[in-house]
Amino acid sequence: MLTNRQLFLQHLGQTSDSPLMIEIERAEGVYMYGPTGEKYLDLVSGVSVSNTGHHHPRVVEAVKRQVDLYMHLMVYGEIIQSPQVRYAERLAGIFPGELETCFFVNSGSEAVEGAMKLAKRFTGRSRIVSFKKSYHGSTHGALSIQGSEQLRNPFRPLLPDTFQVSFNDEESLFTIDERTACVVAEPIMAEAGVICPINDFLKKLRHRCTETGALLIFDEIQTGFGRTGFMFAMNRYNVVPDILVLAKALGGGMPLGAFISSNRIMSALMKNPALGHITTFGGHPVCCAAGLASLNVIIEDNLTVRCNEKSDLFRQQLRHPLIREIRGEGLLLAVDLANSDLVRYIIANSPKYGLILDYFLFCADAFRIAPPLIITRDEILWACGQLKMLLDDASKNLIEK
Ligand code: PLP
């Protein structure tokens, strides 16, 4: 009989020739467990998904309760489903400005697609501006605006009339004009290696969009739900977009995406013609129930505020000659080693040290630290101890050789 490892390679489509290849049987809190007693501390959260940790009892209970009532009923937007309306109402209560109407979809990429379509319909324009080294998803539209020519090029032709400009560069703002339907921006650029805005760049971007009538879309798929020490990065920088895009932690561990706007803008998808975005499983009731339970945990357990103390502890503890810089906000951190071979070694060997680590798509010199927000002080101390041993090991094996 083939092992799961062999079956994984034979029967599952692969995304690279170097998958992490560890097998997980169960996950709880900040830990993942292998079939023969391996235990790993998760420093990635499935890429900013498991903000309330794995198998949170309140999330699991909400899922079970909803499964017992109903699962899929009908395509999105026809039947009043309590988990959807309750979650949308709760979200509207925590968003600033006019962000009150939520269009639920399945994933981050689909939410980005929906947001771009909405902006085109609302403005009657076609041009889309985004930023170099941004990541917005892998579907054709989202791929067209993400900021890596290397990832984009093999799939041409893509969406026309898209422009990628430099983040934090005021000159870029002049690309935005009366032909621009929207600007899509991550308020903190995650896959670029956690690049934060400087010199009020987001405020200036907001101003230029307002001036030209272009809609500002914030992709908070990675930065949302307390990850950066604020509920959303837009709260940190006091800038409100016209459309907000969410996924990942939105579903509390279940697949869910959403684009959110004012009722006035959102109504552009419902007429002339109707059905501006159709999605069968968007806003799946089990996913909405899980997401609402997870959001309640984040708020009631004050995970957002405590995230900053935990971030400081990582920064204090992670001192090592191989570390050039630790960047980021809250528990979205990039540990920069200024050397991509070292980063590859650290990530490949992290399971041996009981840790799960991951790369950034567009920053080969750094690895990611983004644990569940429930991580405790003792768990951080232990993880940093392991990481320093792993860095020593890398020093011996790569640098001194
Ligand atoms: N936007 C950002 C900032 C992301 O990090 C991702 C996924 O990593 C996406 C969009 C795409 O989300 P999904 O993988 O759910 O399609």
Side-chain angles (χ1 to χ4, degrees):
M1 200 173 88
L2 294 179
T3 62
N4 278 354
R5 193 184 168 86
Q6 290 164 323
L7 292 170
F8 173 80
L9 291 174
Q10 191 168 330
H11 292 300
L12 291 184
Q14 297 297 313
T15 56
S16 80
D17 56 11
S18 54
L20 206 49
M21 286 295 279
I22 54 168
E23 191 171 345
I24 298 300
E25 201 171 64
R26 173 173 84 77
E28 184 138 13
V30 295
Y31 294 106
M32 295 190 195
Y33 299 90
T36 48
E38 306 89 335
K39 179 178 177 184
Y40 308 100
L41 198 159
D42 179 4
L43 289 179
V44 181
S45 306
V47 188
S48 301
V49 170
S50 321
N51 287 10
T52 50
H54 298 280
H55 203 254
H56 193 288
R58 287 176 60 188
V59 177
V60 172
E61 192 202 321
V63 166
K64 287 183 174 165
R65 205 180 322 121
Q66 185 54 42
V67 168
D68 279 342
L69 291 172
Y70 57 85
M71 293 193 277
H72 181 71
L73 296 179
M74 179 59 172
V75 294
Y76 172 82
E78 298 293 335
I79 289 182
I80 301 167
Q81 303 183 38
S82 166
Q84 286 178 353
V85 293
R86 294 275 164 255
Y87 196 16
E89 181 204 25
R90 185 81 164 108
L91 287 167
I94 62 169
F95 293 142
E98 291 183 281
L99 297 170
E100 60 183 352
T101 305
C102 194
F103 197 120
F104 284 120
V105 292
N106 294 282
S107 68
S109 301
E110 191 189 357
V112 168
E113 301 289 341
M116 292 192 296
K117 286 167 67 185
L118 176 59
K120 286 166 86 172
R121 278 287 281 277
F122 182 77
T123 59
R125 306 172 184 179
S126 64
R127 182 161 295 180
I128 301 177
V129 174
S130 58
F131 291 93
K132 291 180 183 155
K133 294 197 180 175
S134 63
Y135 181 71
H136 299 294
S138 258
T139 50
H140 266 89
L143 183 65
S144 307
I145 61 156
Q146 54 98 339
S148 155
E149 195 49 39
Q150 202 194 349
L151 279 192
R152 253 196 331 253
N153 224 6
F155 300 100
R156 289 190 185 284
L158 293 169
L159 274 187
D161 216 8
T162 59
F163 294 87
Q164 281 77 48
V165 297
S166 300
F167 194 68
N168 278 333
D169 177 1
E170 284 185 39
E171 289 293 311
S172 297
L173 301 178
F174 294 109
T175 317
I176 306 163
D177 61 21
E178 280 69 18
R179 288 166 295 182
T180 310
C182 60
V183 179
V184 186
E186 297 170 84
I188 294 176
M189 297 193 57
E191 294 304 319
V194 193
I195 305 299
C196 295
I198 51 170
N199 299 332
D200 280 337
F201 183 70
L202 296 181
K203 286 208 165 113
K204 291 169 186 160
L205 177 61
R206 172 70 275 180
H207 182 256
R208 182 70 186 154
C209 286
T210 306
E211 197 173 60
T212 56
L215 298 190
L216 178 59
I217 301 178
F218 273 173
D219 175 344
E220 291 238 34
I221 288 172
Q222 270 199 58
T223 49
F225 296 97
R227 172 67 46 202
T228 67
F230 288 77
M231 186 54 88
F232 299 100
M234 64 181 170
N235 304 124
R236 158 87 174 75
Y237 298 103
N238 256 320
V239 176
V240 183
D242 300 294
I243 306 176
L244 174 68
V245 180
L246 298 174
K248 295 201 186 272
L250 173 71
M254 298 289 280
L256 187 64
F259 54 102
I260 295 123
S261 192
S262 65
N263 209 281
R264 183 176 61 95
I265 294 177
M266 194 63 87
S267 62
L269 286 181
M270 64 183 263
K271 45 183 182 295
N272 303 324
L275 304 175
H277 189 77
I278 302 176
T279 177
T280 298
F281 286 122
H284 193 284
V286 180
C287 305
C288 286
L292 177 56
S294 177
L295 173 61
N296 285 336
V297 171
I298 293 173
I299 293 172
E300 286 157 29
D301 293 357
N302 227 352
L303 293 182
T304 298
V305 176
R306 292 167 59 202
C307 180
N308 286 318
E309 295 156 26
K310 294 173 185 182
S311 178
D312 291 344
L313 190 57
F314 268 111
R315 287 170 189 272
Q316 283 158 19
Q317 292 295 314
L318 274 185
R319 301 242 162 90
H320 191 278
L322 291 187
I323 299 178
R324 172 170 66 174
E325 183 191 15
I326 301 182
R327 287 188 297 273
E329 287 284 342
L331 288 174
L332 182 59
L333 298 173
V335 180
D336 195 319
L337 306 180
N339 179 328
S340 58
D341 290 338
L342 268 174
V343 168
R344 269 197 300 278
Y345 185 92
I346 297 289
I347 293 172
N349 287 284
S350 58
K352 283 192 214 151
Y353 285 78
L355 301 172
I356 305 278
L357 292 174
D358 196 20
Y359 296 93
F360 291 105
L361 276 176
F362 308 130
C363 179
D365 286 350
F367 64 86
R368 176 194 317 264
I369 292 192
L373 308 184
I374 56 161
I375 192 168
T376 63
R377 185 182 163 80
D378 285 348
E379 287 159 351
I380 294 174
L381 294 177
W382 185 83
C384 290
Q386 294 300 102
L387 262 173
K388 283 190 279 192
M389 282 197 281
L390 176 50
L391 286 160
D392 286 342
D393 167 357
S395 263
K396 277 201 207 83
N397 283 304
L398 285 186
I399 310 255
E400 291 165 22
K401 264 189 183 166

